Amino acid sequence: MTAKMAEPEPTRDGRAGPWSRALFARAERVIPGGVNSPVRAFAAVGGEPPFVVRAHGAHIVTRDGATLVDYVGTWGPALLGHAHPEIVEAVCRAARDGLSFGAATAAEVELAERLCELVPSLRGGLVRLVCSGTEATMSALRVARGFTGRDKIVKMDGGYHGHADMLLANAGSGAATLGIPGSKGVPDAAVRDTLTVPFNDVEALERCFSQHRGVIAAVIVEPVPGNMGCVLPQPNYLQRIRELTMTEGVLLIFDEVMTGFRLALGGAQELFGITPDLTCLGKVVGGGLPLAAYGGRRDVMASVAPLGAVYQAGTLSGNPLGTAAALTTLELLRRDPPYAQLETSARHVCEALLKAAQVHGVALTCNRIGSMLTPFFCDGPVLDHADAQKSDRRRFASFHRDLLMRGVYVPPSQFESWFVSTAHDARTLETTVAAAEAAFANIVLHA
Ligand code: PMP
């Protein structure tokens, strides 16, 4: 049937048209829910997802012929825009020399050296390359447990650290969107040692520590949570976590899979001046390829095999394509740090959303730090997962549909962050602002 359809005319309407709908019907027959990661589903906003054929700079192009301004940015990695020519070139060059060796390379040493220079908690420490954020957090926690000889871990309500069993307790991101923050298939035993506390609540963490003295291995936290939507740490909150963990002999793990290299070259830890014991990196560092890392204090990381007795391994770890993409990304960021530009662009989007909401009398709180932002459809402040839940999700769904219709692609869930890239120029920002103004007018009419 699809073969007989006329090729689509160029458009701005990003909603799934006949081509995407036909592909989705095929996808549903062979892929659970038709998507390879639940956050890509349109369950929370209605309709089918548009299928993507290519992406360049700040834009994605759908199978139905729409060119859309993209704020998903492949869920974070596309800090420098899609298909940055220097990154693409580096990957192609590396590919010609072999796709994977499963053996030591100079490039992986160089990358580890670079990471240990740029990220404060890695200075003087050790780092291990892996292929996904999930692997990084899962491995860092195993190391923390191995090093301390303790079993319990603490995470935040609405914090998301990938899909390892022990971390699917009050989890954010797609798990929160779909209402399955504690997944089926996770044995009780796997989450028995996972304690959760609200973000930005020092007293709750103190209570948790005093109830479980001497048995907590680590606190794992997104220093700026992005998976309950974007939520900012209150002044001194991260500092207090650092002090409390230090006092209790608990390791502090910053999950900077989202914030690493996005908020600053040295990540949120550099921005806030807090040094965790271990750090997890992913997304931006891989430049769009499956590359992630975890590392930190030398004494702690010395537990990792073959140096120590904590086992962690990977066939494709440090593979030449991911490593080439990462080295080029870091070089581009070092050569020309984009953070001032990202700040200006993202502030512009945020302010335009707030202004349009105000004009149309829509309650809106827009949390933003650097190039991460989330508009919540409620009065603020939004300081934790419970606050984020107060957002009017019907209004969000209406807003999402309207933006998509007008050429702007944002995450199909209230509980995600939008990402601005260096490729978002004045024109793309104006498209966004115009679309948002129209979308807010419609919310009042329809939602
Ligand atoms: N940690 C954080 C903070 C994340 O945002 C994510 C992914 N959204 C992960 C870990 C998991 O990373 P991956 O999807 O690469 O496994």
Side-chain angles (χ1 to χ4, degrees):
M1 170 208 161
T2 50
K4 290 205 192 90
M5 279 193 283
E7 277 298 319
E9 294 292 322
T11 173
R12 257 197 188 162
D13 185 350
R15 292 172 303 175
W19 288 91
S20 289
R21 285 203 300 270
L23 283 167
F24 191 62
R26 276 172 60 195
E28 278 188 303
R29 268 178 240 130
V30 283
I31 301 172
V35 286
N36 274 316
S37 188
V39 293
R40 299 176 200 173
F42 267 42
V45 291
E48 295 92 352
F51 277 62
V52 178
V53 287
R54 75 185 79 88
H56 288 113
H59 294 97
I60 59 169
V61 178
T62 73
R63 185 63 188 89
D64 295 290
T67 298
L68 310 175
V69 182
D70 176 23
Y71 289 95
V72 178
T74 184
W75 300 93
L79 183 74
L80 298 170
H82 291 285
H84 189 288
E86 286 186 53
I87 301 175
V88 171
E89 177 51 33
V91 172
C92 292
R93 214 179 314 121
R96 282 191 283 272
D97 284 333
L99 298 177
S100 174
F101 315 126
T105 67
E108 68 185 2
V109 181
E110 205 180 313
L111 178 55
E113 287 171 348
R114 203 71 358 110
L115 293 172
C116 290
E117 258 166 53
L118 295 175
V119 182
S121 63
L122 301 188
R123 286 183 194 136
L126 297 170
V127 64
R128 179 54 76 74
L129 301 180
V130 291
C131 293
S132 69
T134 296
E135 262 190 276
T137 56
M138 188 178 89
S139 309
L141 283 165
R142 185 178 302 144
V143 171
R145 284 169 158 170
F147 178 78
T148 57
R150 300 170 173 185
D151 285 342
K152 294 209 182 293
I153 57 166
V154 180
K155 74 177 280 291
M156 305 295 151
D157 292 330
Y160 181 73
H161 308 285
H163 64 91
D165 279 359
M166 67 193 151
L167 290 165
L168 288 178
N170 295 349
S173 188
T177 307
L178 299 172
I180 41 175
S183 171
K184 275 203 172 183
V186 171
D188 290 345
V191 278
R192 191 176 302 140
D193 289 320
T194 304
L195 308 164
T196 67
V197 293
F199 187 72
N200 271 330
D201 187 341
V202 176
E203 283 83 44
L205 189 64
E206 281 171 338
R207 271 197 307 278
C208 176
F209 277 10
S210 67
Q211 279 161 11
H212 302 278
R213 190 139 277 142
V215 291
I216 300 173
V219 172
I220 183 163
V221 60
E222 300 166 70
V224 179
N227 288 292
M228 46 183 103
C230 176
V231 170
L232 273 55
Q234 289 304 93
N236 289 327
Y237 176 64
L238 296 174
Q239 179 67 38
R240 288 293 294 139
I241 300 187
R242 180 62 287 189
E243 288 161 5
L244 284 170
T245 47
M246 203 106 87
T247 312
E248 298 285 336
V250 172
L251 295 180
L252 176 59
I253 305 175
F254 271 8
D255 178 351
E256 295 229 41
V257 167
M258 199 177 267
T259 52
F261 303 102
R262 174 164 285 281
L263 297 188
L265 257 180
Q269 55 195 268
E270 180 182 283
L271 199 64
F272 291 100
I274 311 287
T275 308
D277 300 296
L278 295 175
T279 296
C280 303
L281 298 163
K283 298 195 191 266
V284 171
V285 70
L289 267 77
L291 182 130
Y294 71 97
R297 267 170 52 184
R298 180 169 290 270
D299 57 336
V300 178
M301 286 299 288
S303 317
V304 179
L307 209 49
V310 174
Y311 195 72
Q312 182 271 313
T315 301
L316 296 175
S317 296
N319 78 83
L321 303 197
T323 308
L327 278 170
T328 310
T329 300
L330 297 188
E331 184 48 36
L332 289 165
L333 293 178
R334 270 208 321 187
R335 201 194 299 158
D336 190 12
Y339 303 103
Q341 180 201 336
L342 290 168
E343 170 73 21
T344 307
S345 305
R347 191 196 306 128
H348 182 73
V349 172
C350 195
E351 283 172 358
L353 293 178
L354 287 168
K355 192 165 148 228
Q358 200 185 17
V359 166
H360 294 288
V362 175
L364 193 84
T365 301
C366 195
N367 284 355
R368 180 186 72 84
I369 182 166
S371 57
M372 281 170 70
L373 63 104
T374 302
F376 292 97
F377 286 84
C378 57
D379 291 317
V382 176
L383 298 177
D384 62 16
H385 189 47
D387 290 343
Q389 296 290 325
K390 291 182 200 146
S391 183
D392 185 332
R393 279 177 259 175
R394 270 186 50 229
R395 288 191 159 188
F396 174 82
S398 156
F399 185 62
H400 185 277
R401 269 194 304 277
D402 268 305
L403 286 184
L404 196 57
M405 227 165 78
R406 292 173 172 80
V408 178
Y409 181 73
V410 302
S413 162
Q414 175 64 85
F415 307 115
E416 301 286 356
S417 295
W418 300 17
F419 297 112
V420 176
S421 80
T422 54
H424 287 78
D425 60 11
R427 235 182 88 219
T428 57
L429 295 178
E430 283 330 303
T431 305
T432 311
V433 171
E437 280 165 0
F440 278 116
N442 268 349
I443 282 182
V444 181
L445 291 176
H446 299 307

